[in-house]
Amino acid sequence: MTVSPASNPTTNQPAGAAEDRVWIFDTTLRDGEQSPGASMNLEEKVEIARTLEALGVDIIEAGFPIASPDDFAAVRSVAERTSRARVAGLARSLKGDIDRCAEAVKPAGSRARIHIFLATSAIHREFKLNKAKEEIVKQAREAVAYARTLCDDIEFSPEDASRTEPDFLAEVVEAVIGAGARTVNIPDTVGYAYPEDYAALIRYLKTNVRAIDQAVISVHCHNDLGLAVANSLAAVRAGARQVECTINGIGERAGNGALEEIVMAMRVRKDQFPGATPGSRLWTGIEAERLYGASRLVQSITGLPLQRNKAIVGDNAFAHESGIHQHGVIKNPETYEIMTPKSVGVPATNMVLGKHSGRAALQQRLTTLGVGVADTDIDKVFAAFKQLADKKKEIYDGDLIALIEEVVRGRTVSVWKLDYLHTSAVAGAAAGTQLATATVRLSKGDAVKTDAATGDGPVDAVVQAMNRLIGIVGEVEDYRLRSVSKGGDAQGEVSIRAKLTLPGQEAVVVGGKGLSTDIVHASALAWLDAVNRAGLIAGRQQIVS
Ligand code: KIV
Ligand code: ZN
């Protein structure tokens, strides 16, 4: 008998037509958060979880509860404040981790999952764990059996599976299925796999593991060679029925497989996945029209920008620059488009609003864009829109979306606020002689502080002044500027990755974002955003598996 997640008595998915489809396991909140600078606070995690749920994700991996009290609280809140998706927490194969994880996912009730991992490859056994094969099998089996006493739905990951000897991998997988694991994940932890080999490994397990049909085979690919999506798709074609991925492909090092790419590759090329019709096997439950919104939200919250040419959701994904292409697309979009922007939720038109547009025009545009703004927020949004319209003649959809992210989602944790900023710089001065100055006033509650500093350029001067005012040491690890719409007066969105040391804390790497028609102002806001966020995450314990 083949046990799919649906016919598995431990899941609460509806049986029937959707029984044998591909389950989407999103790990944006866990592996995604392991991207340097991608830390999110609790409310942000809950907001992403709810968006993932609306998107149609089947399982949300919400964090690693033993890692820190913040991680625990986030997993618990996601478990409490979602209603349909399964909620998983990660745990090492240790009793303490499993107990903590079980407690965190408990509010999800029958939707709770514990995801246990233990490395199996020779290099991890020897250098990380210092354990023999038999000890690994025993520890994995005991961890799963123990977890099953606390939770019905257990997933097991043999970490670095793709570099593990296939016969030993089969032995571990068989042992954990015997102990009660209902999903066996085969991670390509270091992004080393090749599609053909990875597919062959899945087929090998299907042939060589007794009772493999009692579990769902899952895949989890990292992108170190840029092959995460290709490997995930090859594995599905070989029989995997759960794919672990993240929005925008964020994740440890080069990231994980990008959810939007995997889903759209399966949908656009259903010919490669025989039987992939709605509701049938090989169909995912993702509502593709929500992909763009989810991608924007994750960019906005993590402060991790996308390259313009990112597949599916990048700014250029549907832009046609050459005249020949434009001509063809106007006559028939299919000449150069294999999917429509609308099918993934990219706003179809770019209607321009301006200074004289009223509240009704703004509201109508937001509705057309599918951007929900609560009645209680509309005044705030309208005021910010008018302020922007005073600085900028034409307001494009990109401006509006960025404005909503800034004003409504309020990603900025306003501990320190920027009250005043003045910079001056001499452009074109000889190398090494260029000097810029910045005067900055910051406030925090009732405290107001002003200082001035010099730097190599205006942004450097602003950073120096702020660091001195707040009493921190910090350096810019990465700086990106993106225009959110068209024209010389377009708003600039600055994304910064900063390494910051707050008084009495260890250094943390954190992302910050700022938006303004003035790029120095946007940079100042981004730096302050990073500083405020660093205050929240500093001191979080790092777990090394
Ligand atoms: O990449 C990996 O191996 C992981 C496991 C914990 C599943 O993230
Ligand atoms: Zn991973």
Side-chain angles (χ1 to χ4, degrees):
M1 180 188 73
T2 296
V3 174
S4 69
S7 57
N8 172 353
T10 65
T11 69
N12 58 358
Q13 303 291 348
E19 200 168 52
D20 192 21
R21 67 178 171 76
V22 173
W23 306 95
I24 296 293
F25 175 116
D26 180 281
T27 182
T28 305
L29 299 178
R30 200 276 300 167
D31 225 334
E33 206 203 15
Q34 288 173 219
S35 307
S39 298
M40 307 164 222
N41 67 34
L42 188 143
E43 282 308 317
E44 290 169 342
K45 286 187 178 177
V46 170
E47 186 176 0
I48 290 181
R50 288 184 157 166
T51 302
L52 293 172
E53 204 171 42
L55 181 65
V57 158
D58 299 294
I59 303 111
I60 298 170
E61 186 166 51
F64 190 1
I66 194 84
S68 71
D70 282 353
D71 256 59
F72 177 86
V75 176
R76 206 173 163 89
S77 293
V78 170
E80 277 163 2
R81 292 161 68 185
T82 48
S83 56
R84 182 197 53 76
R86 307 195 134 254
V87 177
L90 186 66
R92 291 171 298 185
S93 295
L94 301 172
K95 185 172 178 299
D97 278 41
I98 295 169
D99 287 339
R100 193 86 176 125
C101 187
E103 208 184 321
V105 294
K106 199 170 175 189
S110 62
R111 298 180 293 117
R113 174 179 292 192
I114 299 178
H115 177 191
I116 301 170
F117 72 100
L118 181 63
T120 50
S121 64
I123 188 166
H124 280 238
R125 291 195 311 264
E126 183 179 347
F127 294 100
K128 191 174 81 166
L129 301 172
N130 193 22
K131 284 199 156 107
K133 284 180 172 173
E134 311 75 66
E135 293 174 280
I136 299 282
V137 176
K138 182 168 181 289
Q139 188 177 346
R141 185 191 295 117
E142 287 176 0
V144 170
Y146 176 66
R148 270 303 297 265
T149 65
L150 304 173
C151 179
D152 281 341
D153 185 359
I154 305 300
E155 169 171 339
F156 181 82
S157 286
E159 192 189 8
D160 205 14
S162 56
R163 292 195 300 170
T164 301
E165 306 89 319
D167 57 341
F168 179 56
L169 183 64
E171 188 184 335
V172 174
V173 169
E174 193 166 301
V176 296
I177 293 174
R182 286 292 165 259
T183 304
V184 283
N185 185 36
I186 309 300
D188 181 26
T189 303
V190 292
Y192 181 75
Y194 239 65
E196 290 83 355
D197 297 349
Y198 196 48
L201 181 62
I202 302 299
R203 281 193 292 268
Y204 175 86
L205 294 173
K206 279 173 75 85
T207 316
N208 290 286
V209 172
R210 239 171 312 161
I212 189 70
D213 55 2
Q214 299 299 307
V216 173
I217 300 179
S218 167
V219 287
H220 173 117
C221 298
H222 280 272
N223 208 26
D224 299 67
L225 291 172
L227 292 172
V229 171
N231 284 332
S232 304
L233 296 171
V236 170
R237 280 158 54 96
R241 285 294 176 271
Q242 175 178 289
V243 181
E244 303 197 358
C245 45
T246 59
I247 299 287
N248 299 336
I250 65 170
E252 187 86 40
R253 303 181 313 279
N256 291 57
L259 182 150
E260 61 281 1
E261 294 176 22
I262 292 164
V263 166
M264 290 314 289
M266 289 184 63
R267 199 152 298 185
V268 172
R269 293 303 308 274
K270 25 184 178 309
D271 56 307
Q272 296 292 318
F273 299 89
T277 51
S280 73
R281 71 194 281 265
L282 291 170
W283 187 260
T284 73
I286 297 297
E287 285 185 30
E289 301 74 18
R290 294 179 184 266
L291 286 171
Y292 182 75
S295 164
R296 290 292 319 180
L297 179 70
V298 170
Q299 282 180 72
S300 155
I301 286 179
T302 60
L304 294 177
L306 290 187
Q307 77 266 28
R308 296 187 81 87
N309 61 335
K310 164 82 177 63
I312 318 291
V313 288
D315 287 348
N316 289 355
F318 296 95
H320 300 278
E321 196 59 35
S322 98
I324 296 175
H325 285 206
Q326 286 171 355
H327 182 71
V329 168
I330 289 167
K331 290 220 147 164
N332 179 351
E334 283 180 25
T335 47
Y336 285 101
E337 277 180 5
I338 57 169
M339 61 198 137
T340 62
K342 189 165 174 263
S343 68
V344 295
V346 172
T349 60
N350 217 352
M351 194 180 100
V352 179
L353 294 177
K355 181 175 175 147
H356 301 296
S357 309
R359 186 186 290 260
L362 172 69
Q363 252 169 330
Q364 191 196 24
R365 192 70 210 133
L366 292 175
T367 310
T368 311
L369 288 173
V371 180
V373 175
D375 290 347
T376 42
D377 284 326
I378 197 75
D379 286 346
K380 227 168 29 174
V381 172
F382 189 61
F385 165 76
K386 281 288 176 192
Q387 232 175 23
L388 180 61
D390 275 340
K391 293 193 219 148
K392 198 172 178 298
K393 234 169 67 207
E394 293 170 328
I395 298 188
Y396 293 91
D397 292 344
D399 289 313
L400 277 186
I401 291 169
L403 189 119
I404 300 296
E405 284 166 359
E406 202 69 10
V407 178
V408 180
R409 304 230 160 92
R411 85 171 225 103
T412 306
V413 193
S414 294
V415 182
W416 289 99
K417 287 203 182 82
L418 177 64
D419 288 345
Y420 174 86
L421 173 68
H422 176 82
T423 57
S424 69
V426 181
T433 63
Q434 190 180 354
L435 203 63
T437 58
T439 308
V440 175
R441 187 165 67 230
L442 298 180
S443 61
K444 180 179 171 185
D446 293 336
V448 179
K449 290 183 167 192
T450 307
D451 204 347
T454 58
D456 289 342
V459 174
D460 185 39
V462 169
V463 167
Q464 301 305 335
M466 285 190 179
N467 288 358
R468 209 157 63 199
L469 276 173
I470 302 169
I472 56 171
V473 178
E475 61 192 70
V476 179
E477 285 209 333
D478 189 35
Y479 176 98
R480 281 167 209 225
L481 172 64
R482 172 180 98 95
S483 160
V484 300
S485 61
K486 305 181 207 167
D489 62 353
Q491 293 188 95
E493 182 183 79
V494 171
S495 307
I496 278 182
R497 199 173 67 212
K499 188 169 180 189
L500 298 170
T501 312
L502 275 64
Q505 303 278 11
E506 302 244 304
V508 287
V509 175
V510 62
K513 246 173 93 171
L515 180 74
S516 172
T517 47
D518 174 328
I519 59 173
V520 177
H521 184 223
S523 307
L525 294 174
W527 187 255
L528 207 54
D529 185 31
V531 170
N532 285 331
R533 297 167 71 77
L536 291 180
I537 63 164
R540 271 193 198 173
Q541 188 190 336
Q542 285 292 317
I543 276 279
V544 182
S545 57

